[in-house]
């Protein structure tokens, strides 16, 4: 009989010939979630890159129990094109057999037959609980295989320890100990898109809409959709309204209508209930709105559309990084290492004990079932409670108990500086709503500092205008800047800027923008020595698609940019794949920082990424052209064969996007062709992404709370406090305020308009690893080009010499 796999018949592994290569199984289980395919791709390719042999286990635990062809060794090309596909391409299914010990015994035998001694599972809490049970039972399962004569002690000797690593794939984001699960932001994107569309018709007819979203035991989707879309009311399992919920809801909505709001949006999680655990349905809410408030009300149940479609940018890069980290966790594991779950805290990938995360998740459900709702909220991650409080603060505007004494109320100037970015308006809406609740006066400074200085006293309407909540109520989903933004700096006319601050009696300044905003606040801080008007508390909310603001690892607008860019790149890649042998070089924005190019490269599976930090050299081009040649040799006649290269707009002044494309096209000969594409300002995006919206609200509320601390303080007291000029941002696993003076002096690369230390730089190696791109110090003739379990050497010395000569000649001409 012919052998279909290494070391055995029909792909079975001969334990007696076991090599040093670790064999890692990867499976998806439970409900499908966008991004699962990205995780599988990352595990397979990271395993090969680390010299391991990956196996895909089809149909989840069912495939593990059935064995045979359901457990299949993977090669590099098997996961090509996975990133842009929704659902899970290796399948998932419910498996009653695995819940019983005999089924787990068969699964263990099937793994050993294939030589697998490590398992990476992408699924929800139920799937990961099953995995941990499997690991606990593993030693006794090995003993039973020996006692029943299915295996010998010698055969089982290398398999006495099983490594399990969990990746959380769930649209509900219902796993404790991680801020986000793979798929949750893609699902939130579908929900927000639907509500944005519904919003328009609701406004037109002054209707109310009740939207039912998924979330049986977790209200994350309902909560975040409420924050993202500015919904009037939400129902979530963790925090039901006490007493008569219908009256509470009607009170809020009645107030909004009296203030002039034309539409009503109520979001109901499918697991919603009152404080006595009586179920609340969308139809019940609809009847109350119709009967009590006499509103023309409709119900929309989004259903499984929330699971569908390709993953958003965040879920693509999250699944890729976590998949690669899962392979590292397997290789780092010892028999004493607890099974880890790969989690994300704010912006930091971390490993946490799997069993602890599962227990915490179960504890939330138990708290809800026992009506301990405060405990349930406390057991959710801190971010969950913070977002809930932000929702109440920015939506329920009539809360007299939260109003400050008159002497504590402030006039707060709100200004946008720099290029537009998705989420600027959401941050402004949150700030205005917060001011409305607390008694502050929000003042819009239209069109940046030039608008303030030149048009502050124009008639009939100047650039300085107070506004109310109803003015900004519909801004959550609006892109660009509704109050106008400008790159001009206060240094263009510091005296007039100070005059305006005094004339309009500003007590604090709320600045939204990118590096220009950072520079502007730096100038105002330094200008305090000369102008007392600048001795007021100032906070910056970083908002730029480039994500180049010092003091933070995340800027509002960068996620919207990435989503716009990957949609563009997916279209190009589809075109390139249809042509079979085509490469597109895509020029990305980002200024002198390669964040956009790198993260988009990770999200679309780019073959190479060129950034200003690394530049472009002849050797780099030579290496990448040879790598492309080998890739197309392997891809002959296969689908999903289109390739992308992402080049930041300032990666090189010599090797422009057009020049790079022409070099590749010429050197490829008849092997393949190369085109270039420049998406330009498309990257600024249209409608802000849900992530940019919710983080804008969170940053906005926290920033106003920070400014409030300075109410009643003297100008000298304010100036003496280094936190009086600050930037809010994400650093690692925390949201923090960083004093401007320290960030300016210690963390800023002023020449290149970017932070000195860019957190994402270490992700370039992950992009290269997952594309198989050779390292700088690696001979390109020995790069990973696919094949079972590893790499193949391909000698191309003669062609390399010819290519080097051609490139050097071109370099001399262009110089």
């Amino acid at each position: 009989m012919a052998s279909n796999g290494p070391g055995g018949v029909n792909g079975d592994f001969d334990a007696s010939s076991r090599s040093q290569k670790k064999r890692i199984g990867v499976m998806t289980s439970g409900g499908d979630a966008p991004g699962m395919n990205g995780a599988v791709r990352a595990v397979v390719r990271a395993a090969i890159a680390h010299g391991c042999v990956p196996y895909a286990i089809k149909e989840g635990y069912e495939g593990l129990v059935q064995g045979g062809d359901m457990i299949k060794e993977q090669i590099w090309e098997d996961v090509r094109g996975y990133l842009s596909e929704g659902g899970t391409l290796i399948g998932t299914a419910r498996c009653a057999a695995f819940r019983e010990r005999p089924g787990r015994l068969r699964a263990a035998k099937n793994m050993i037959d294939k030589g697998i001694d490590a398992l990476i599972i992408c699924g929800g809490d139920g799937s990961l609980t099953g995995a941990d049970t499997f690991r606990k039972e593993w030693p006794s399962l090995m003993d039973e295989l020996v006692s029943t004569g299915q295996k010998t002690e010698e055969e089982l000797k290398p398999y006495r320890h099983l490594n399990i690593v969990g990746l959380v794939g769930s649209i509900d984001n219902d796993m404790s100990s991680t801020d986000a699960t793979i798929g949750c932001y893609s699902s939130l994107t579908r929900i927000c898109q639907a509500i944005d569309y519904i919003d328009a018709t609701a406004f037109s007819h002054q209707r109310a809409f009740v939207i039912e979203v998924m979330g049986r035991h977790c209200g994350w989707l309902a909560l975040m959709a409420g924050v993202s879309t500015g919904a009037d009311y939400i129902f979530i399992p963790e925090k039901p309204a006490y007493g008569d919920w219908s009256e509470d809801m009607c009170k809020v909505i009645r107030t909004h209508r009296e203030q002039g709001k034309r539409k009503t949006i109520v979001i109901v999680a499918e697991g919603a209930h009152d404080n006595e655990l009586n179920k609340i349905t969308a139809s019940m809410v609809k009847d109350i709105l119709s009967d009590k408030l006499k509103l023309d009300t409709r119900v929309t149940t989004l259903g499984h559309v929330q699971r569908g479609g390709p993953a958003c940018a965040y879920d693509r890069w999250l699944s890729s990084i976590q998949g690669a980290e899962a392979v590292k966790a397997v290789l780092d594991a010892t028999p004493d290492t607890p099974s880890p779950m790969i989690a994300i805290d704010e912006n930091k990938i971390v490993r946490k004990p799997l069993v602890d995360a599962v227990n915490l998740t179960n504890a939330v459900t138990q708290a809800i079932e026992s009506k301990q709702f405060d405990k349930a909220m406390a057991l959710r991650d801190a971010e969950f409670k913070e977002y809930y409080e932000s929702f109440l603060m920015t939506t329920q505007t009539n809360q007299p108990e939260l109003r400050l004494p008159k002497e504590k109320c402030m006039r707060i100037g709100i200004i946008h500086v720099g290029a537009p970015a998705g989420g600027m308006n959401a941050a402004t809406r949150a700030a205005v709503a917060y001011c409305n609740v607390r008694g502050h006066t929000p003042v819009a400074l239209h069109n940046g500092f030039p608008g303030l200085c030149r048009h502050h006293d124009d008639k009939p309407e100047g650039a300085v205008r107070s506004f109310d909540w109803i003015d900004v109520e519909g801004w959550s989903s609006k892109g660009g800047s509704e109050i106008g933004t400008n790159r001009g700096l206060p240094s263009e006319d510091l005296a007039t800027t100070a005059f305006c601050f005094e004339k309009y009696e500003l007590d604090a300044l709320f600045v939204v923008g990118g590096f220009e905003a950072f520079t502007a606040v730096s100038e105002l801080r330094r200008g305090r020595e000369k102008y007392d008007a600048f001795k007021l508390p100032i906070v910056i909310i970083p908002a730029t698609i480039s994500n180049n603001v010092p003091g933070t690892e995340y800027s509002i607008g960068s996620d919207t940019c990435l989503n716009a860019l990957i949609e563009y790149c997916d279209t190009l890649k589809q075109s390139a794949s249809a042509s079979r042998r085509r490469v597109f070089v895509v020029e990305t924005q980002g200024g002198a920082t390669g964040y956009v190019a790198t993260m988009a490269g990770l999200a679309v599976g780019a073959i190479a990424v060129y950034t200003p930090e690394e530049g472009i050299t002849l050797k780099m081009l030579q290496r990448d052209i040879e790598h492309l040649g080998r890739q197309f040799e392997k891809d002959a006649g296969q689908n999903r064969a289109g390739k992308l290269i992402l080049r930041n707009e300032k990666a090189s002044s010599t090797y422009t996007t057009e020049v790079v494309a022409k070099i590749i096209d010429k050197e490829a000969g008849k092997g393949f062709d190369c085109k270039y594409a420049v998406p330009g300002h498309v990257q600024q995006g249209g409608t802000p992404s849900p992530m940019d919206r919710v983080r804008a609200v969170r940053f906005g509320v926290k920033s106003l709370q920070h400014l409030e601390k300075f109410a009643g303080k003297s100008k000298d007291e304010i100036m003496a406090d280094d936190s009086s000029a600050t930037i809010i941002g994400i650093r690692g696993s925390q949201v923090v305020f960083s004093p401007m003076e320290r960030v300016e002096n210690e963390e800023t690369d002023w020449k290149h308009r970017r932070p000195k230390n860019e957190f994402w730089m270490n992700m370039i190696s992950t992009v290269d690893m997952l594309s198989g791109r050779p390292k700088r110090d690696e001979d390109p003739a020995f790069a990973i080009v696919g094949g079972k379990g590893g790499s193949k050497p391909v000698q191309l010395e003669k062609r390399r010499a010819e290519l080097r000569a051609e490139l050097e000649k071109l370099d001399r001409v262009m110089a």
Side-chain angles (χ1 to χ4, degrees):
M1 186 177 292
S3 173
N4 294 328
V9 176
N10 297 324
D12 288 350
F13 179 74
D14 182 1
S16 64
S17 64
R18 177 181 172 85
S19 70
Q20 293 300 309
K21 286 186 177 180
K22 197 164 193 67
R23 285 164 165 75
I24 302 172
V26 60
M27 59 184 279
T28 53
S29 180
D32 64 296
M36 280 183 163
N37 292 321
V40 172
R41 172 184 178 269
V43 169
V44 168
R45 293 195 169 179
I48 292 172
H50 286 289
C52 304
V53 182
Y55 286 80
I57 300 166
K58 299 180 180 180
E59 311 303 339
Y61 287 113
E62 184 67 28
L64 204 59
V65 172
Q66 290 188 20
D69 291 339
M70 301 290 278
I71 304 176
K72 186 178 179 182
E73 183 181 340
Q74 299 291 285
I75 62 173
W76 193 266
E77 291 77 19
D78 286 336
V79 292
R80 183 200 300 107
Y82 267 39
L83 278 169
S84 59
E85 297 288 340
T88 165
L89 293 174
I90 63 173
T92 180
R94 298 186 183 277
C95 181
F98 191 80
R99 296 194 184 102
E100 306 297 331
R101 184 177 172 88
R104 293 193 289 272
L105 184 67
R106 291 201 302 274
K109 180 179 180 298
N110 290 332
M111 286 179 61
I112 293 168
D113 286 343
K114 299 288 185 179
I116 299 171
D117 57 0
L119 202 54
I120 297 174
I121 300 165
C122 184
D125 58 336
S127 301
L128 299 183
T129 300
D132 194 65
T133 300
F134 194 38
R135 180 187 174 177
K136 289 176 182 176
E137 285 187 351
W138 188 259
S140 65
L141 292 172
M142 296 300 97
D143 292 340
E144 189 171 344
L145 287 174
V146 173
S147 65
T148 56
Q150 297 180 63
K151 293 288 179 182
T152 67
E153 187 63 49
E154 186 64 24
E155 287 176 315
L156 294 185
K157 190 174 181 180
Y159 302 103
R160 279 293 175 178
H161 173 66
L162 173 66
N163 288 334
I164 295 280
V165 178
L167 298 172
V168 192
S170 167
I171 67 166
D172 296 334
N173 199 18
D174 53 357
M175 179 67 79
S176 295
S177 303
T178 185
D179 287 344
T181 58
I182 295 169
C184 69
Y185 273 101
S186 297
S187 180
L188 181 61
T189 298
R190 305 286 175 273
I191 294 169
C192 291
Q193 285 173 339
I195 295 176
D196 288 345
Y197 296 152
I198 288 170
D199 195 85
T201 189
F203 181 90
S204 300
H205 298 274
Q206 300 192 59
R207 281 180 179 149
F209 275 83
V210 184
I211 317 292
E212 182 182 294
V213 301
M214 288 185 172
R216 259 179 310 187
H217 304 295
C218 178
W220 187 88
L221 284 174
L223 170 59
M224 294 309 217
V227 174
S228 297
T229 62
D232 296 83
Y233 206 84
I234 61 172
F235 291 90
I236 60 174
E238 295 89 344
K239 193 71 173 176
Y242 285 88
D244 187 350
W245 61 265
S246 64
E247 184 55 38
D248 184 64
M249 176 185 68
C250 289
K251 179 182 176 182
V252 171
I253 293 171
R254 189 182 294 113
T255 299
H256 289 175
R257 290 283 177 158
E258 290 171 353
Q259 289 177 321
K261 193 173 180 183
R262 287 176 57 88
K263 58 186 173 56
T264 297
I265 301 291
V266 177
I267 302 175
V268 182
E270 63 178 326
H273 50 74
D274 64 16
N275 60 333
E276 293 299 323
L277 302 183
N278 299 307
K279 186 171 179 59
I280 297 174
T281 66
S283 60
M284 291 168 61
V285 175
K286 182 253 184 190
D287 290 342
I288 288 169
L289 294 178
S290 298
D291 297 341
K292 285 191 174 183
L293 298 181
K294 307 304 178 184
L295 295 177
D296 182 7
T297 309
R298 302 285 190 273
V299 172
T300 299
T301 301
L302 296 181
H304 282 73
V305 73
Q306 296 164 82
R307 289 193 185 277
C312 67
Y314 180 85
D315 282 328
R316 293 194 195 190
W317 70 253
L318 177 68
S319 61
S320 296
I321 294 172
Q322 289 192 335
E325 180 65 20
V327 172
K328 291 180 184 177
V330 166
L331 297 177
D332 291 345
T334 68
D336 299 324
T337 305
S339 297
M341 178 189 82
I342 310 301
I344 185 167
D345 286 346
E346 296 294 353
N347 223 35
K348 187 177 181 182
I349 301 295
V350 294
R351 302 176 192 175
K352 295 186 177 180
L354 173 59
V355 66
D356 291 352
V358 170
N359 288 339
L360 276 173
T361 303
N362 292 335
V364 176
T365 303
Q366 292 165 6
I368 292 172
E369 291 173 349
S370 60
K371 303 178 186 179
Q372 296 176 290
F373 302 116
D374 289 339
K375 181 180 179 181
M377 289 293 287
L379 286 171
R380 288 284 181 219
D381 299 312
E383 185 185 69
F384 188 92
K385 184 178 181 182
E386 202 171 303
Y387 275 119
Y388 180 77
E389 291 172 349
S390 295
F391 172 77
L392 295 182
M393 188 67 74
T394 57
T395 302
Q396 298 188 15
T397 54
N398 185 22
Q399 301 183 65
E401 69 279 7
L402 297 179
R403 203 166 186 85
L404 293 170
K406 189 173 182 179
E407 63 273 13
K408 291 287 186 179
C409 293
M410 308 167 78
R411 281 178 60 82
I412 300 175
I414 299 175
I415 190 168
H416 296 178
V417 183
M424 279 182 157
N425 293 317
T428 302
R429 175 188 178 277
V432 172
Y434 185 91
C435 288
N436 188 71
V437 170
R438 300 287 276 171
H440 304 304
T441 301
V443 182
L445 309 180
H446 286 256
N447 302 316
F449 286 102
L452 173 67
C453 293
R454 299 171 193 167
H455 306 290
H456 65 92
D457 58 355
D458 284 2
K459 304 299 180 185
E461 194 170 53
V464 181
R465 310 172 207 164
S466 296
F467 48 7
D468 201 356
W469 176 79
I470 197 62
D471 299 324
V472 302
E473 185 278 322
W475 286 13
S476 290
S477 60
K478 289 186 178 293
S481 168
E482 289 293 300
I483 65 172
T485 185
N486 195 295
R487 294 179 185 273
L489 298 173
S491 56
E492 296 173 11
D493 194 345
L494 270 180
T496 303
T497 302
F499 168 78
C500 290
F501 278 24
E502 290 180 338
K503 178 178 179 178
Y504 297 100
E505 300 178 325
L506 299 184
D507 299 312
L509 192 63
F510 180 94
V511 185
V512 185
F515 201 89
E516 287 84 2
F518 180 83
T519 305
V521 173
S522 174
E523 291 178 354
L524 294 175
R525 184 191 65 77
R526 288 182 278 114
R528 287 171 168 175
E529 296 290 344
K530 186 175 181 180
Y531 299 100
D532 279 357
F534 299 153
K535 295 177 181 178
L536 78 175
I538 308 172
V539 66
I540 305 170
I541 291 187
T544 167
I545 68 170
S546 303
N547 198 22
N548 65 333
V549 182
T552 182
E553 295 175 4
Y554 166 84
S555 297
I556 293 166
S558 59
D559 186 66
T560 299
C561 169
L562 289 174
N563 279 290
L565 187 54
I566 67 165
E567 184 176 353
Y568 182 91
C569 288
D570 282 351
T571 303
L572 286 181
K573 201 166 187 180
Q574 185 180 65
S575 172
S577 295
S579 303
R580 293 295 184 192
R581 308 180 71 80
R582 175 165 291 172
V583 181
F584 274 100
V585 181
V586 181
E587 181 175 293
T588 73
Q589 291 188 335
T593 178
Y595 172 83
V596 171
T598 300
M599 301 307 288
L602 194 58
V604 300
I607 202 79
V609 170
Y610 299 142
T611 66
E613 289 83 357
E614 290 191 321
I616 304 176
T617 65
L618 287 170
K619 288 184 178 180
M620 187 184 296
L621 287 171
Q622 171 194 330
R623 185 177 68 240
D624 291 336
I625 291 169
E626 293 177 6
H627 178 50
L628 280 166
R630 290 189 300 275
Q631 288 280 308
F632 278 112
E633 284 179 16
K634 295 293 297 182
D635 291 346
Q638 299 185 33
N639 61 1
R640 303 195 191 108
K643 311 295 182 191
L644 295 179
I645 292 175
L646 269 54
R647 177 196 172 275
N648 168 276
E649 60 188 340
K650 293 188 177 180
S652 171
S653 58
T654 302
Y655 300 111
T656 64
T657 303
E658 183 178 1
V659 168
V660 169
K662 286 183 175 179
I663 291 173
I664 294 173
D665 191 59
K666 184 177 186 305
E667 294 306 319
K670 295 183 179 180
F672 56 93
D673 66 10
C674 185
K675 307 292 183 183
Y676 71 96
V678 183
H681 284 74
V682 166
Q683 294 163 82
Q684 288 186 354
T687 302
S689 73
M691 171 171 283
D692 281 334
R693 298 192 215 180
V694 297
R695 285 187 168 175
V697 171
R698 186 184 187 196
F699 282 7
V701 170
K702 289 179 77 74
S703 294
L704 264 295
Q705 291 170 342
H706 177 78
L707 293 175
E708 280 181 340
K709 297 176 182 177
F710 295 90
K713 290 189 176 182
S714 69
K715 291 185 178 294
D716 288 339
E717 287 176 319
I718 291 171
M719 186 170 175
D721 190 334
D722 65 357
S723 69
S724 64
T726 189
I727 178 169
I728 188 173
I730 292 175
R731 290 176 180 258
S733 59
Q734 294 182 313
V735 175
V736 297
F737 288 94
S738 301
M740 277 294 293
E741 185 173 9
R742 174 169 60 79
V743 176
E744 292 169 41
N745 296 333
E746 300 176 12
E747 302 179 24
T748 305
D749 179 349
W750 287 99
K751 179 181 177 181
H752 296 105
R753 293 164 50 88
R754 67 193 186 203
K756 287 182 178 178
N757 297 310
E758 298 176 290
F759 79 98
W760 53 267
M761 283 291 290
N762 61 4
M763 295 186 188
I764 294 177
S765 61
T766 304
V767 176
D768 290 346
M769 177 181 68
L770 298 182
S771 71
R773 187 187 187 196
K775 300 175 184 176
R776 285 184 173 226
D777 57 351
E778 180 181 77
D779 187 336
F782 290 86
I784 295 173
V785 294
K788 297 201 174 204
S791 59
K792 289 183 179 180
V794 181
Q795 298 298 336
L796 300 169
E797 292 301 328
K798 182 178 179 181
R799 185 70 193 107
R800 290 176 61 197
E802 292 172 353
L803 178 59
R804 187 183 300 113
E806 288 277 349
L807 291 173
E808 288 174 351
K809 180 180 178 181
L810 177 65
D811 197 40
R812 287 194 299 273
V813 171
M814 297 192 69

